[in-house]
Amino acid sequence: MDKPALCVFGEVLFDCFPDGRQMLGGAPFNVAWHLQAFNVQPRFISAVGADVEGERIRTSMAEWGMLTTCLQTDFDHPTGHVEVSLLEGEPSYDIVSDVAYDFVRTPSQHEACELLYHGTLALRQPVSAATLNALKSAKPDLVFLDVNLRSPWWSREQTLALVAGADWVKLNRDELTLLSDVDHARARPVADLAQELMARHVLSGLLVTLGSEGALGFSGDNPPVQVVPTAALEVVDTVGAGDAFAAVTILGIIHGWPLDKTLERAQSFASKIVGQRGATAASPELYAPFVDQWGLAD
């Protein structure tokens, strides 16, 4: 597909730290940001408040070249934010509810997407959940589900229903265990749990991220593909590594790369992201070597 109709649905927010720092994020936003840098212009479907933070997001997107036509302004709820607190040096997170991305309205006119990406957090309120259902009712060619289980904002029943409605699913090892239907799941090999989940829900592809051990990928009847980071990898900040991996996997899907090549490239880019502070970068220089090596230039 050349310049596919790619839709990314979900949250955009600020992580707010005790020292006053604010970092722009949200898994769907991070994925959309990366895809824009890789010359695939997504339609990012979300909502921000009528506040300073919302205007900052809209400005950042425009400066990065992203479409803002599907970014709604909610006059009744603030822009999404996460309150980060530190206890003896360890961070904890309060994902504030009743924010703008909980109330994303169904666009009055929405064309079918060739590929629809969505996560799980933005579905905790019925308004945004109904909007996702409307987007899926337009019959996208492929649905990519990025599982992000954040307590208390998820249920096993709802998440499994989302898995059943997807073609590709990405999740981490702990999430795979939580969603498995077998006894003593934690004692079972990850590959077995993944293949059982994939078969049970008739998925086209499944990705399981394994942290410092890399990732496992499954597609069709092909043997599993495993990738691992280099032993000398310098880790500064792991936030956003999974989002980087998801973005490049989507690139592989839309460009028709083999699964092994897709995952090698996804791991390479994720390794670059963990070597910097923050999940994204407003610098084309970060992306330029990958754009050149992967033949993604316009």
Side-chain angles (χ1 to χ4, degrees):
M1 289 183 279
D2 182 34
K3 294 290 185 183
L6 174 61
C7 297
V8 174
F9 172 88
E11 67 272 12
V12 57
L13 52 84
F14 280 101
D15 288 322
C16 303
F17 294 85
D19 62 4
R21 286 183 301 126
Q22 292 185 333
M23 297 189 70
L24 186 54
F29 179 81
N30 295 339
V31 169
W33 184 275
H34 294 319
L35 289 170
Q36 178 68 36
F38 290 131
N39 289 319
V40 178
Q41 189 168 58
R43 298 202 294 265
F44 180 58
I45 303 169
S46 188
V48 296
D51 47 30
V52 172
E53 290 78 12
E55 189 56 37
R56 284 175 59 193
I57 290 170
R58 195 176 296 277
T59 299
S60 295
M61 288 177 61
E63 290 177 346
W64 195 237
M66 296 174 69
L67 295 172
T68 60
T69 52
C70 296
L71 183 66
Q72 302 168 13
T73 299
D74 187 310
F75 291 91
D76 298 317
H77 302 93
T79 295
H81 57 287
V82 174
E83 296 294 341
V84 183
S85 57
L86 298 174
L87 180 62
E88 297 181 352
E90 291 298 318
S92 62
Y93 305 93
D94 177 15
I95 304 174
V96 179
S97 62
D98 291 328
V99 294
Y101 68 74
D102 290 317
F103 299 91
V104 183
R105 304 177 304 278
T106 302
S108 56
Q109 294 181 336
H110 58 279
E111 301 173 1
C113 304
E114 293 183 42
L115 189 153
L116 171 63
Y117 164 102
H118 71 90
T120 50
L121 178 61
L123 306 177
R124 58 187 178 175
Q125 296 286 356
V127 175
S128 287
T131 295
L132 176 65
N133 288 336
L135 294 172
K136 292 170 76 171
S137 70
K139 304 296 183 184
D141 295 342
L142 188 149
V143 175
F144 187 107
L145 167 63
D146 193 351
V147 176
N148 287 289
L149 303 184
R150 300 290 183 263
S151 295
W153 307 114
W154 72 280
S155 74
R156 191 171 185 275
E157 180 181 9
Q158 181 197 40
T159 306
L160 286 174
L162 294 171
V163 172
D167 300 289
W168 277 76
V169 173
K170 174 192 149 288
L171 72 180
N172 64 33
R173 178 171 18 208
D174 289 339
E175 291 163 342
L176 174 62
T177 301
L178 289 168
L179 297 179
S180 294
D181 276 342
V182 299
D183 294 331
H184 310 296
R186 291 191 181 278
R188 296 282 305 281
V190 171
D192 290 353
L193 295 178
Q195 289 170 324
E196 289 165 5
L197 185 71
M198 189 170 172
R200 188 162 63 249
H201 296 286
V202 197
L203 299 174
S204 300
L206 180 69
L207 303 174
V208 185
T209 56
L210 305 170
S212 62
E213 298 173 35
L216 271 171
F218 304 82
S219 179
D221 296 325
N222 300 315
V225 174
Q226 183 164 13
V227 290
V228 296
T230 61
L233 178 64
E234 180 182 354
V235 177
V236 175
D237 183 350
T238 60
V239 174
D243 307 335
F245 203 97
V248 177
T249 301
I250 290 170
L251 277 182
I253 292 170
I254 64 179
H255 287 294
W257 299 340
L259 184 61
D260 56 349
K261 179 182 287 187
T262 297
L263 297 196
E264 288 169 5
R265 290 176 171 180
Q267 182 63 60
S268 176
F269 181 60
S271 295
K272 185 70 172 180
I273 290 297
V274 301
Q276 63 158 29
R277 183 69 62 189
T280 60
S283 170
E285 286 74 22
L286 175 76
Y287 301 90
F290 301 102
V291 170
D292 292 340
Q293 293 167 18
W294 301 344
L296 300 175
D298 287 331

